[in-house]
């Protein structure tokens, strides 16, 4: 690897040269003998280091090609050492590594170095950066890029310095192992550094970096280089202990912080959060997501709406965080990276731990996109924080984890408390829809289906009680639905298509046409009346079912900020509603059976009491009219039980509606109990 091997051909050549030298000595060709002897001596003692460095076939063993047999690694203490600039490094940060000799000035020709996890499975971690002087060649081991390094020339070198970047998705201790070749038959394998602790970025930033201690030069057998050397007396530095989240340090004092849910910065409990620090013409943006996010992004907008915004996106890809700049369009909504010069921002720091994305980005004060200037010095912009769990090709996906714009545009250089935009219209939309479809619709359907033969003879505004209540409740549903639909359109100003919006749209259409259809209701004896009844029943029930499904979908919307356990309250309402319908249906069947029995008895009585020679048709019709008139003047059987059950249903229904509306209006409800 580091020192060229004398192949069998080389040795044969030297033997031939020696034989020829003896023959020439006999012939006393001394001048030629001297030249050949000098050539032989040069060939025997020169160190021929591979000019292109170590090949990737030795990534596991770190052994030179000629190692083995009679040429073994040294088992003495290595005069070379591997030193690190610190014993603690944050995720995604850079560490300087020095390979040096002792005493000073001791040179070597070849080397190879890599960092491995101190614990099983001992994988290679991190990446090396190219050297400025061109003395380092990077290697791709274990199908990873630039995770090992070797020499790029065979010249003698007293020291080699390398920059190593820690991984963004790793926490723990690493050890740097190096193989150093001083000559062809003198090399040391697996020279270890002291362990380096990779910690969370905020911990490393908050804690002072300890001064690196002297390297441990314990013997290290070449056969164990796959498992990094572990000094038995090493104790992890106290700097890596868990500490308070430092992201929020300086918020409202030295930097602007904003995240969602609204008001989370004050409680340090943001799902996703951003921070902006301005120093002169240096604009630094920090972003952090919630767990299991596919991206976190910050947009700068004129109007607090998605569209025509400059966005900064931090996206984990292939084990590292990538930075993208995009320009969003409103119709149709998209985030296009190709329209924005990607060199307008650069990534300063990044990490990915337990699914939480962190990145620190520096932006140019002026970015021009499609003729539009984003002037951070003089402009005022809304901050839009968003994160989602999916990606599209060449763009981020929908912000299903959350999104929140700031309430007003701000100059980023002016430090202030940044609050979110008002959610009043969203809250009113949700409250009106719950009142309409959980409350008034459910009760209106109960009246129409089960109370046509209750409160017989009592009317309101010239209409039977059941119809008056049914019409009043359904008109309320229609009014609340239309108002709620207008409110959400005013808030969004554009169509947003997902499960909630699609089912909600169908519900609104069915709700809108129901009263229009009722205006054209055929008369009671019209042959089209049965078709109207079935159509009216189907439209109403379908709208009710879809509305409840849409409310279930709304629980998952990040803008609603509803707790996941609200689903169980909705499930409880559905079970209660179905159970009450089942009980009412049983009463209805019992009414039909009892009325059928009464009608049968009356018909039998008419047969017995009618004169045999009389006009049976005339008497039968007269009797039936009298019987029906009497039935209309009295409630159907079990009317008291139905009224009692209606009272219980109404009280429980009101409780469900009140609880659900409170969850919507006070969202996120969890903040009230913190």
């Amino acid at each position: 690897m580091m020192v060229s091997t004398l192949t069998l051909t080389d040795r044969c050549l030297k033997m031939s040269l020696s034989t020829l030298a003896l023959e020439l000595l006999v012939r006393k060709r001394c001048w030629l003998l001297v030249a050949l002897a000098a050539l032989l001596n040069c060939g025997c003692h020169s160190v021929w280091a591979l000019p292109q460095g170590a090949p990737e076939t030795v990534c596991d063993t770190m052994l030179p090609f000629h190692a083995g047999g009679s040429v073994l690694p040294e088992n003495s203490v290595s005069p070379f050492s591997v030193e690190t600039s610190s014993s603690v490094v944050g995720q995604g940060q850079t560490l300087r590594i020095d390979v040096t000799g002792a005493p000073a000035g001791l040179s070597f020709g070849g080397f190879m170095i890599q960092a491995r996890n101190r614990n099983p499975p001992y994988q290679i971690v991190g990446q090396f950066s190219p050297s400025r002087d061109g003395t380092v060649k990077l290697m791709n081991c274990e199908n990873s890029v630039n995770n090992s390094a070797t020499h790029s020339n065979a010249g003698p070198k007293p020291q080699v310095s390398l920059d190593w970047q820690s991984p963004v998705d790793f926490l723990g201790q690493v050890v740097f192992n190096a193989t150093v070749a001083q000559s062809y038959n003198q090399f040391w394998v697996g020279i270890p550094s002291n362990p380096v602790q990779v910690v969370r970025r905020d911990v490393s930033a908050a804690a002072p970096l300890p001064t690196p201690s002297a390297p441990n030069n314990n013997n290290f057998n070449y056969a164990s280089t796959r498992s990094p050397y572990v000094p038995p007396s090493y104790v992890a530095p106290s700097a890596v202990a868990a500490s308070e989240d430092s992201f929020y340090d300086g918020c409202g004092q030295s930097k602007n912080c904003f995240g969602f849910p609204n008001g989370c910065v004050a409680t340090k409990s943001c799902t996703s959060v951003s921070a902006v620090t301005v120093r002169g013409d240096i604009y630094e943006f920090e972003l952090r997501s919630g767990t299991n996010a596919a991206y976190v992004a910050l947009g700068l907008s004129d109007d607090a709406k998605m569209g025509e915004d400059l966005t900064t996106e931090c996206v984990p890809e292939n084990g590292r965080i990538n930075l993208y700049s995009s320009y969003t369009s409103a119709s149709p909504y998209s985030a296009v990276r190709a329209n924005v010069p990607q060199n307008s921002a650069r990534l300063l720091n990044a990490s990915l731990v337990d699914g939480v994305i962190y990145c620190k980005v520096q932006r140019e004060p002026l970015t021009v996109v499609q003729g539009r200037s984003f002037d951070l010095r003089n402009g005022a912009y809304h901050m839009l924080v968003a994160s989602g769990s999916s990606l599209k090709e060449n763009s981020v996906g929908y912000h299903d984890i959350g999104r929140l714009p700031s309430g007003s545009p701000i100059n980023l250089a002016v430090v202030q408390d940044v609050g979110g935009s008002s959610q009043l219209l969203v809250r009113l939309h949700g409250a009106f829809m719950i009142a309409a479809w959980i409350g008034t619709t459910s009760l209106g359907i109960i009246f129409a289906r089960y109370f046509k033969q209750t409160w017989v003879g009592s009317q309101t505004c010239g209409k039977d009680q059941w119809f008056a209540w049914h019409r009043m409740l359904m008109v309320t549903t229609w009014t609340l639905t239309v108002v709620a639909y207008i409110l959400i359109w005013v808030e969004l100003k554009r169509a947003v298509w997902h499960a909630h919006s699609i089912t909600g749209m169908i519900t609104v259409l069915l709700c809108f046409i129901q009263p229009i259809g009722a205006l054209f209701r055929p008369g009671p004896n019209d042959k089209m009346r049965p078709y109207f009844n079935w159509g009216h029943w189907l439209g109403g029930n379908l709208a009710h079912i879809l509305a409840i499904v849409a409310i279930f979908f709304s629980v998952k919307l990040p803008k609603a900020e509803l707790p996941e356990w609200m689903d169980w309250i909705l499930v409880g309402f559905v079970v209660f509603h179905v159970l009450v319908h089942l009980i009412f249906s049983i009463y209805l069947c019992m009414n039909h059976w009892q009325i059928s029995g009464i009608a049968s008895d009356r018909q039998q009585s008419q047969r017995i009491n009618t004169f045999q020679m009389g006009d049976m048709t005339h008497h039968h019709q007269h009797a039936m009219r009298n019987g029906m008139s009497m039935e209309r003047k009295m409630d159907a059987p079990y009317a008291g039980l139905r009224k009692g059950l209606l009272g219980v249903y109404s009280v429980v229904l009101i409780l469900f509606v009140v609880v659900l509306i409170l969850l919507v209006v006070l969202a996120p409800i969890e903040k009230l109990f913190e």
Side-chain angles (χ1 to χ4, degrees):
M1 181 183 68
M2 271 58 70
V3 182
S4 64
T5 58
L6 293 177
T7 62
L8 181 60
T9 303
D10 296 328
R11 299 190 181 207
C12 291
L13 176 61
K14 291 181 180 181
M15 293 177 61
S16 299
L17 290 173
S18 300
T19 304
L20 180 58
L22 291 175
E23 182 178 353
L24 291 175
L25 181 61
V26 174
R27 297 181 181 184
K28 298 182 179 181
R29 303 282 180 90
C30 294
W31 60 272
L32 186 56
L33 174 62
V34 172
L36 289 173
L39 177 61
L40 179 62
N41 182 69
C42 178
C44 289
H45 297 285
S46 64
V47 177
W48 294 343
L50 292 177
Q52 297 179 348
E56 295 175 0
T57 55
V58 298
C59 286
D60 287 341
T61 64
M62 299 183 70
L63 285 171
F65 276 165
H66 63 279
S70 60
V71 183
L72 297 175
E74 295 291 329
N75 58 9
S76 61
V77 175
S78 170
F80 303 99
S81 61
V82 180
E83 300 178 1
T84 61
S85 60
S86 174
S87 60
V88 180
V89 64
Q91 294 171 314
Q93 293 182 337
T94 301
L95 190 71
R96 191 185 75 252
I97 312 298
D98 295 320
V99 180
T100 60
L106 183 65
S107 62
F108 54 92
F111 74 94
M112 178 181 175
I113 188 170
Q114 56 188 210
R116 286 186 179 269
N117 185 356
R118 187 184 181 190
N119 300 307
Y122 308 115
Q123 75 276 16
I124 305 174
V125 296
Q127 293 182 334
F128 288 94
S129 302
S131 63
R132 296 184 180 89
D133 56 7
T135 59
V136 175
K137 174 188 173 183
L138 303 183
M139 305 171 62
N140 303 331
C141 295
E142 297 182 355
N143 298 320
S144 296
V145 179
N146 300 341
N147 61 1
S148 301
T150 185
H151 60 277
S152 61
N153 63 75
K157 38 188 90 62
Q159 177 178 329
V160 172
S161 295
L162 307 96
D163 288 332
W164 177 81
Q165 184 180 17
S166 63
V168 298
D169 55 354
F170 174 84
L171 286 174
Q173 294 180 346
V174 299
V175 174
F176 292 89
N177 286 343
T179 293
V180 179
Q182 189 176 15
S183 63
Y184 167 77
N185 58 356
Q186 192 174 27
F187 55 89
W188 288 262
V189 176
I191 303 171
S193 70
N194 275 339
V196 174
Q197 188 78 24
V198 180
V199 299
R200 296 180 186 273
R201 181 209 59 82
D202 50 357
V203 174
S204 68
L209 297 179
T211 303
S213 57
N216 190 317
N217 287 328
N218 291 28
N219 295 342
F220 196 80
N221 189 288
Y222 74 91
S224 61
T225 53
R226 293 197 60 164
S227 302
Y229 177 76
V230 181
S233 60
Y234 177 76
V235 178
S238 59
V240 302
S243 63
E244 185 178 355
D245 190 351
S246 62
F247 187 98
Y248 300 95
D249 293 347
C251 288
Q253 299 174 351
S254 60
K255 61 183 181 182
N256 288 314
C257 300
F258 178 63
F260 64 81
N262 193 18
C264 64
V265 173
T267 58
K268 300 182 180 181
S269 59
C270 295
T271 301
S272 292
V273 62
S274 65
V276 184
T277 304
V278 181
R279 297 189 299 272
D281 280 345
I282 299 176
Y283 289 79
E284 291 181 350
F285 297 80
E286 293 179 274
L287 297 174
R288 193 172 71 183
S289 74
T291 57
N292 301 320
Y295 71 90
V296 60
L298 174 67
L300 300 178
S301 174
D302 289 330
D303 56 3
K305 306 295 181 183
M306 300 293 280
E308 300 181 353
D309 312 321
L310 176 64
T311 64
T312 302
E313 305 161 357
C314 294
V315 183
E317 293 175 322
N318 301 321
R320 62 186 305 166
I321 305 296
N322 289 327
L323 169 67
Y324 299 103
S325 296
S326 298
Y327 183 70
T328 63
S329 60
S331 183
Y333 175 77
S334 62
V336 183
R337 296 170 181 168
N339 296 335
V340 184
Q342 295 300 311
N343 60 358
S344 61
R346 64 189 184 95
L347 187 63
L348 302 178
N349 205 344
S351 66
L352 177 65
V353 182
D354 299 331
V356 176
I357 306 168
Y358 168 84
C359 65
K360 187 176 184 179
V361 179
Q362 181 176 328
R363 272 208 163 277
E364 295 293 329
L366 179 64
T367 303
V368 179
V369 183
Q370 295 183 341
R372 181 183 176 188
S373 297
F374 288 87
D375 187 354
L376 305 187
R377 298 187 192 95
N378 305 312
Y381 300 97
H382 289 268
M383 298 173 63
L384 283 78
V385 179
S387 62
S389 59
S390 64
L391 299 174
K392 299 179 181 178
E393 185 176 0
N394 298 323
S395 70
V396 298
Y398 180 68
H399 42 270
D400 55 343
I401 294 178
R403 165 193 171 273
L404 183 66
S406 60
S408 59
I410 65 169
N411 186 305
L412 300 180
V414 179
V415 178
Q416 57 195 281
D417 292 328
V418 184
S421 61
S422 173
Q423 297 285 81
L424 177 61
L425 297 184
V426 176
R427 303 289 181 245
L428 289 176
H429 167 82
F432 287 174
M433 286 299 192
I434 287 176
W437 295 99
I438 299 292
T440 57
T441 301
S442 301
L443 195 57
I445 291 176
I446 292 288
F447 272 103
R449 186 172 300 175
Y450 304 110
F451 284 87
K452 292 180 179 179
Q453 284 298 114
T454 309
W455 296 294
V456 174
S458 176
Q459 293 186 336
T460 300
C461 298
K463 300 294 182 181
D464 291 343
Q465 290 289 353
W466 75 267
F467 184 79
W469 281 100
H470 172 75
R471 183 172 60 180
M472 181 190 68
L473 291 169
M474 289 310 181
V475 169
T476 304
T477 295
W478 188 91
T479 304
L480 290 173
T481 300
V482 172
V483 172
Y485 185 72
I486 294 173
L487 290 176
I488 203 64
W489 265 104
V490 172
E491 170 68 18
L492 299 178
K493 293 184 172 62
R494 61 186 179 87
V496 179
W497 300 111
H498 44 65
H500 172 75
S501 63
I502 293 173
T503 54
M505 178 71 76
I506 299 173
T507 300
V508 171
L509 291 175
L510 291 173
C511 174
F512 193 80
I513 64 177
Q514 278 290 95
I516 297 176
L519 295 177
F520 300 95
R521 179 174 60 247
N525 298 322
D526 194 293
K527 64 178 181 180
M528 299 300 295
R529 183 59 179 261
Y531 298 103
F532 167 82
N533 290 342
W534 277 106
H536 191 69
W537 175 87
L538 180 62
N541 282 277
L542 183 60
H544 191 211
I545 293 172
L546 289 177
I548 295 175
V549 171
I551 295 173
F552 270 101
F553 284 138
S554 70
V555 177
K556 305 301 181 183
L557 293 179
K559 197 175 185 68
E561 299 179 314
L562 298 173
E564 292 185 0
W565 46 265
M566 180 175 167
D567 281 335
W568 293 107
I569 298 179
L570 292 172
V571 170
F573 160 73
V574 172
V575 172
F576 171 72
H577 183 72
V578 171
L579 182 62
V580 170
H581 269 275
L582 180 62
I583 296 174
F584 273 126
S585 296
I586 293 174
Y587 282 151
L588 189 61
C589 292
M590 293 171 64
N591 291 342
H592 286 317
W593 293 334
Q594 187 165 348
I595 291 174
S596 298
I598 293 174
S600 177
D601 291 342
R602 286 181 177 176
Q603 291 177 3
Q604 183 66 26
S605 176
Q606 289 289 338
R607 294 192 188 98
I608 296 173
N609 297 324
T610 301
F611 291 106
Q612 296 182 359
M613 301 299 295
D615 187 356
M616 296 181 61
T617 302
H618 173 75
H619 286 284
H620 177 71
Q621 292 178 350
H622 181 71
M624 289 299 295
R625 282 196 298 267
N626 290 338
M628 292 177 65
S629 176
M630 292 178 62
E631 288 178 5
R632 285 199 193 98
K633 294 179 181 179
M634 57 186 299
D635 287 354
Y638 308 108
L641 292 177
R642 286 199 308 277
K643 293 175 182 178
L645 182 58
L646 176 64
V648 173
Y649 178 80
S650 300
V651 171
V652 176
L653 183 66
I654 291 173
L655 291 177
F656 272 114
V657 171
V658 169
V659 170
L660 291 172
I661 289 179
L662 288 177
L663 290 177
V664 171
V665 173
L666 300 179
I669 195 69
E670 293 90 343
K671 295 182 66 66
L672 296 178
F673 303 99
E674 292 178 352

